[in-house]
Amino acid sequence: MKLEQLERETAWVRHLSPEGELTEQGRKFWDSLSVERKKDFYRWMSYIRMFDRRSVILQRQGRIGTYAPLEGQEAAQVGSALALGKEDWIFPSYREHGVAMIAGMPLPQIFLYWMGRVEGCKPPEGVRLLPPSVPIATQIPHAVGAAWASKLKKERSVAVAYFGDGATSEGDFHEACNFAGVFKVPAILFCQNNGYAISVPFSRQSASETVAQKAAAYNFPGIRVDGNDVLAVYDVMTQAVERARAGQGPTLIEAVTYRKGNHTTADDATRYRPEQEVTEWVERRDPLERYVKLMKAEGLLTDEEMAEWEEECKERVDRGIREAEASVPAPPPHLFAHVYAEPGANELRQIKELEEMGGSGK
Amino acid sequence: MKKLTMVQAISDALRTALATDPTVVVLGEDVGKNGGVFRATEGLWQEFGDERVIDTPLAEAGIIGTSIGMAVNGLKPVPEIQFMGFIYPAFEQIVTHAARLRTRTQGAFPATLTIRAPYGGGIRAPELHCDSTESLFVHIPGLKVVTPSTPYDAKGLLLAAIKDPDPVIFLEPMKLYRSVKQEVPDGWYEVPIGKARKVRDGEDVTLIAWGTMVPVAEAAANEWAAKGVSCDVLDLRSLYPLDEEAIIESVKKTGRVVIVHEAPKTAGLAGELTALINEHAFLYLEAPITRVTGYDAPVPMYALEDWFRPDAKRVSKAIQQVVSF
C-alpha cells in the first residue's frame, strides 16, 4: 500500500485522531459511552497486545508453532468484537485471536491451537466461535449461511465473517456477498484491510480504491472506517449489528489498519514494506497509544493503573501458557476423534492398528 | 404403495423430509419454481414455500459454503449441484470445510448436510455433464458417499443421508432416473448407509457395481446364467463406508471378481476394492481381480460415450476371463 493511498483519510469514519484527540462526531460518541465500556477498550487492547507479543516469543522459544501476529490490529478486533452479543456467530480467519479472546475462548485453548492441538479449536459450550479458517475467504459463505439460518429460524443472532484484504480477491468472497445481498441476511462482512496479503499490497490485490466500495455491486452498505480507532470501529460495528438485527440485511465493513509485524513468524516483512511506511504506522498510528492518550486526558487512566493492569495481563498470559503446556498429550488414536459421528469398521480397524503400534497413549 | 421412477422417488424423499423435519431446507440452482432440471424437486417450492425450497444464485461454492453455515446454525440443508461435472468449484468447500468441521470443532459444529448431484453418462448430455468422479470424495475422510440404483433405494438412502449426522455426497445416476418404475412405500423409511444390496445370488463370479453400472452388470450376469455360470451381483450403494463384510463374504464364496465402474480406471474405486479384497481374501482368489471401467480419457462428448461407458459386452468378456483363467 502506498503511503498516499493510506493518507486518503476522507470518506472514512474516524472518531479519534492518532494524536489522541476526538473529532466533533467522536466527542458525541464518546459522551454516549459508559465508563466501563471505555475502560473495556483499553483493557482488551492492551491484554491482546501482551498476549500477542508473548506468543511471538513463545514461538521463538519453540513452545508454540508458527504463529500469526496481530499487533497493530487490536482496535479493529476489539472494537468489532465488543459490539457483538453472546448469541452472535463468529467465523474468523487465522489472525483473530483478539476476537476469539473476547468471544470467550479460554487462553489455554488458543495456545493449544498454536501448539498444533485440534482440541484448541473447540469453544466452550455457548460460545459461537468457529475455528480459524486457513484457506482464504472460504469462511465468508459460512457466515452468510449461518446468518441465513438465523433469518429462516426467525432468531435475532447475526453472523460475522472476519477476513483480510487478500480475501476480497477470492471467488468465495464475491459469492458470499452476492448471497448475502440477494437473501438480505443478517451478516456482517468485516475486512481488516492491513494493506498486505503476505507481501502483495492492496494496490496489486484490487483495482478498486477501497474494499468498502465493492459492497455497492451487491447492493448493501459498505463502510470504511479507521481501523486503528477503536471508537469508530465499535460505532460502525454496533450500527451494522443493529441493522442486521432489524432485518435490514448485511453490511461490509472495511477497517483500514496495519499489521505492525510479519505475516507469520515464518515471514520477513522487511523484504516488501518500505521503511517510511512502517515507521508511520508503528510510531504514529498505533491504535493502543492513541487510545491511552485519550483515556489519560479524560482522567480515566493513570500510570499506576496501567502498571497494575499490565501485571495482571502478564499473569493471565503466563497462566494460559502454563495450563496449555500442562495439558495431557492426546494419544495417537485421537487422530480419529470426531472424523465421523460414529467410527465405522474401517476407522475402528485403523484405530486398533495404531494401538497395536503402541499408540494407545497409555 | 405407488410405482415411481427413481427421480420421482427422490422427489418423494425430499417431500417426506421437508414435511417431517422443519430444519430441512432444499437449495440450489433451479430447484424452486422450475422444480429442478431433472424435476427432482417438482412441486416442492409450491408446497413448502420459498424459505424451505430455495432458488439460489448460480454459484456452487456459494451454495455449499452457505449450506455449511446453515448446518452450523442448526439447519439440515440438502443442496443440489445440478450435475456432478459442476461440483468442482465447490470442491474446496466440501474438502476443506464440510469434511473436516466435525473433527476441527471436536464435535461442536459438524456440517450435517446432504449434497445431491446427478452423475454418470448415457443420456446424451452436453460436455462436462457426465462425470463420475466419486473416488475424489471417497478419498476424503469425514465424508460419506452413496449412490442408489433403484427407486426404492433412492428414497430410502436419501432419507438415511438426510438423517445422517455426517456430510453425505448423494450421487444420482442420471441414466437410471426414469429407466424403471418400482413400488416405493409412502412416508419415511431408510436404506442404511454402509450396506450393500445383493442384486442376485450366484456361486461362480462376484460382480461388484454401483449406480449406473448395476443394470449393466445384471445384464452380463443374465447372459452368463444362460451358459451355466452364476454371478453373485453386489450393488454397493454405499461407496464410503464400504460394506466390507458383504464384499469379502461374496469373494470367499466365488473366488472370482469383476468390478465394474463408469469412472476412469486409474485411481478409480476398483483399485481400492481390489486392495481390500487382497487384504482380506487373497487366499480365496482363483483368478486375478478384473476391472471393467471407463477409460483414462476425459469423459467424451456423447458421440463416443457408448465406447467410453462399460457395457454388458465388456463385462461379459471380463467374466469370460476370470472363469477361464
Side-chain angles (χ1 to χ4, degrees):
Chain A
M1 192 162 13
K2 291 198 186 77
L3 203 51
E4 52 268 32
Q5 195 177 350
L6 298 174
E7 288 296 348
R8 202 184 300 112
E9 294 181 359
T10 50
W12 73 358
V13 181
R14 172 183 269 177
H15 291 343
L16 181 64
S17 76
E19 292 73 33
E21 280 157 17
L22 289 165
T23 62
E24 197 179 317
Q25 205 189 346
R27 171 58 66 184
K28 271 190 224 150
F29 185 67
W30 177 254
D31 290 341
S32 75
L33 295 171
S34 71
V35 171
E36 234 6 71
R37 180 92 322 182
K38 289 170 182 169
K39 288 187 174 175
D40 279 346
F41 293 140
Y42 162 72
R43 288 191 193 123
W44 277 113
M45 284 201 290
S46 50
Y47 179 29
I48 287 162
R49 176 163 297 186
M50 164 95 53
F51 160 83
D52 188 65
R53 289 186 174 174
R54 287 295 306 281
S55 296
V56 173
I57 294 167
L58 290 167
Q59 190 279 331
R60 299 295 185 225
Q61 294 172 338
R63 292 163 74 184
I64 65 171
T66 303
Y67 170 78
L70 63 77
E71 182 164 341
Q73 301 185 203
E74 295 92 343
Q77 297 198 15
V78 170
S80 58
L82 283 179
L84 298 171
K86 205 72 187 155
E87 71 273 32
D88 298 324
W89 290 91
I90 298 172
F91 294 79
S93 88
Y94 47 75
R95 206 185 296 285
E96 277 75 62
H97 336 308
V99 173
M101 285 161 72
I102 293 170
M105 195 68 166
L107 213 51
Q109 264 184 276
I110 297 178
F111 280 128
L112 274 184
Y113 177 79
W114 294 102
M115 293 166 120
R117 297 275 300 269
V118 72
E119 306 94 301
C121 287
K122 187 181 183 177
E125 191 68 34
V127 174
R128 293 177 152 186
L129 171 75
L130 276 288
S133 180
V134 173
I136 304 303
T138 53
Q139 76 280 19
I140 311 173
H142 303 171
V144 171
W148 198 355
S150 289
K151 182 179 175 172
L152 294 173
K153 294 195 292 181
K154 300 179 173 51
E155 290 172 355
R156 71 188 295 271
S157 61
V158 309
V160 186
Y162 281 91
F163 52 94
D165 40 306
T168 66
S169 304
E170 290 273 11
D172 280 41
F173 164 76
H174 295 279
E175 294 193 19
C177 284
N178 194 39
F179 275 67
V182 168
F183 296 103
K184 228 178 163 185
V185 304
I188 296 165
L189 311 181
F190 192 90
C191 177
Q192 289 171 81
N193 181 352
N194 67 17
Y196 290 87
I198 304 190
S199 69
V200 177
F202 186 66
S203 57
R204 170 58 65 97
Q205 202 61 244
S206 173
S208 324
E209 281 195 30
T210 70
V211 169
Q213 76 187 75
K214 292 176 194 283
Y218 303 104
N219 201 25
F220 53 80
I223 296 166
R224 199 158 191 259
V225 61
D226 181 345
N228 282 11
D229 169 358
V230 71
L231 299 175
V233 174
Y234 180 74
D235 189 9
V236 300
M237 187 71 172
T238 303
Q239 288 180 42
V241 170
E242 280 167 10
R243 267 178 43 80
R245 291 208 209 287
Q248 289 167 6
T251 305
L252 171 64
I253 296 173
E254 175 189 9
V256 180
T257 182
Y258 202 75
R259 78 171 134 79
K260 287 167 71 174
N262 299 319
H263 164 67
T264 66
T265 48
D267 172 48
D268 173 11
T270 61
R271 293 167 65 94
Y272 52 82
R273 294 198 307 205
E275 213 182 300
Q276 182 201 4
E277 176 192 294
V278 178
T279 309
E280 164 72 12
W281 282 92
V282 171
E283 290 178 7
R284 199 174 81 84
R285 299 193 185 211
D286 186 273
L288 179 56
E289 279 174 27
R290 82 170 73 166
Y291 193 68
V292 166
K293 276 182 201 160
L294 174 72
M295 288 288 279
K296 284 185 169 173
E298 295 286 320
L300 292 175
L301 190 65
T302 63
D303 286 337
E304 199 185 5
E305 283 169 320
M306 281 177 77
E308 267 173 40
W309 177 243
E310 248 179 61
E311 197 49 42
E312 183 176 340
C313 290
K314 193 173 169 302
E315 274 167 31
R316 284 192 198 185
V317 174
D318 282 345
R319 199 162 53 237
I321 187 72
R322 258 199 324 273
E323 278 178 36
E325 286 179 334
S327 149
V328 180
H334 195 260
L335 280 176
F336 292 92
H338 305 288
V339 175
Y340 293 95
E342 295 289 336
N346 188 41
E347 293 87 46
L348 288 172
R349 194 167 49 238
Q350 294 185 20
I351 290 168
K352 196 162 159 253
E353 194 181 306
L354 257 175
E355 284 169 347
E356 281 165 7
M357 291 297 290
S360 65
K362 286 169 199 155
Chain B
M1 273 204 275
K2 291 173 295 231
K3 280 198 143 196
L4 301 178
T5 63
M6 183 186 286
V7 76
Q8 288 168 336
I10 286 166
S11 189
D12 196 36
L14 293 171
R15 179 174 289 103
T16 305
L18 284 161
T20 311
D21 184 345
T23 67
V24 170
V25 286
V26 168
L27 69 161
E29 293 156 17
D30 305 301
V31 301
K33 195 172 184 181
N34 192 35
V37 289
F38 288 102
R39 305 285 169 263
T41 52
E42 179 100 76
L44 300 181
W45 178 78
Q46 290 78 357
E47 196 174 335
F48 296 97
D50 214 21
E51 296 199 334
R52 305 284 310 280
V53 182
I54 308 167
D55 275 324
T56 67
L58 198 165
E60 288 78 12
I63 292 167
I64 302 303
T66 53
S67 293
I68 290 168
M70 286 179 167
V72 163
N73 194 1
L75 297 184
K76 284 202 198 79
V78 187
E80 176 182 301
I81 295 294
Q82 215 156 55
F83 293 90
M84 194 185 196
F86 303 164
I87 207 168
Y88 311 117
F91 192 61
E92 182 184 21
Q93 285 291 347
I94 297 170
V95 174
T96 66
H97 290 294
R100 291 172 203 237
L101 257 186
R102 179 183 291 282
T103 312
R104 295 188 70 235
T105 64
Q106 294 287 284
F109 302 122
T112 300
L113 74 168
T114 303
I115 301 170
R116 294 179 41 242
Y119 89 102
I123 60 156
R124 302 295 184 254
E127 262 192 292
L128 291 166
H129 285 63
C130 303
D131 276 17
S132 181
T133 39
E134 62 271 22
S135 65
L136 298 181
F137 300 99
V138 172
H139 190 61
I140 305 301
L143 299 178
K144 292 178 177 173
V145 184
V146 301
T147 177
S149 71
T150 66
Y152 177 91
D153 282 359
K155 181 177 173 184
L157 207 49
L158 182 51
L159 288 172
I162 291 169
K163 197 167 145 196
D164 195 280
D166 293 309
V168 181
I169 313 284
F170 186 87
L171 299 175
E172 300 174 4
M174 289 187 281
K175 173 78 176 166
L176 307 184
Y177 263 155
R178 294 187 171 80
S179 62
V180 287
K181 279 197 168 189
Q182 189 183 21
E183 288 202 336
V184 172
D186 292 326
W188 193 293
Y189 69 91
E190 289 171 34
V191 168
I193 291 174
K195 291 278 170 232
R197 177 173 70 96
K198 179 63 75 69
V199 179
R200 62 186 287 161
D201 255 315
E203 302 297 322
D204 305 312
V205 179
T206 297
L207 291 185
I208 300 174
W210 53 91
T212 53
M213 286 295 115
V214 173
V216 173
E218 272 186 280
N222 280 336
E223 199 181 300
W224 278 90
K227 298 183 219 168
V229 172
S230 70
C231 294
D232 213 38
V233 181
L234 272 187
D235 169 4
L236 288 185
R237 295 196 293 209
S238 177
L239 308 182
Y240 198 93
L242 283 167
D243 189 346
E244 298 174 1
E245 221 170 296
I247 296 165
I248 303 308
E249 191 191 333
S250 172
V251 174
K252 285 182 176 173
K253 179 174 66 171
T254 65
R256 293 179 167 84
V257 187
V258 174
I259 306 165
V260 191
H261 65 60
E262 190 174 335
K265 188 171 206 166
T266 300
L269 205 48
E272 178 61 34
L273 291 164
T274 302
L276 180 84
I277 293 164
N278 278 344
E279 282 168 4
H280 296 279
F282 181 69
L283 294 176
Y284 294 85
L285 290 175
E286 305 281 349
I289 298 165
T290 301
R291 294 180 279 178
V292 181
T293 69
Y295 295 106
D296 290 332
V299 175
M301 292 173 71
Y302 75 76
L304 286 177
E305 79 173 339
D306 291 341
W307 289 98
F308 180 86
R309 301 179 73 241
D311 56 8
K313 202 172 136 195
R314 283 178 60 198
V315 179
S316 211
K317 196 175 154 217
I319 295 172
Q320 166 80 49
Q321 266 173 27
V322 297
V323 294
S324 61
F325 178 77

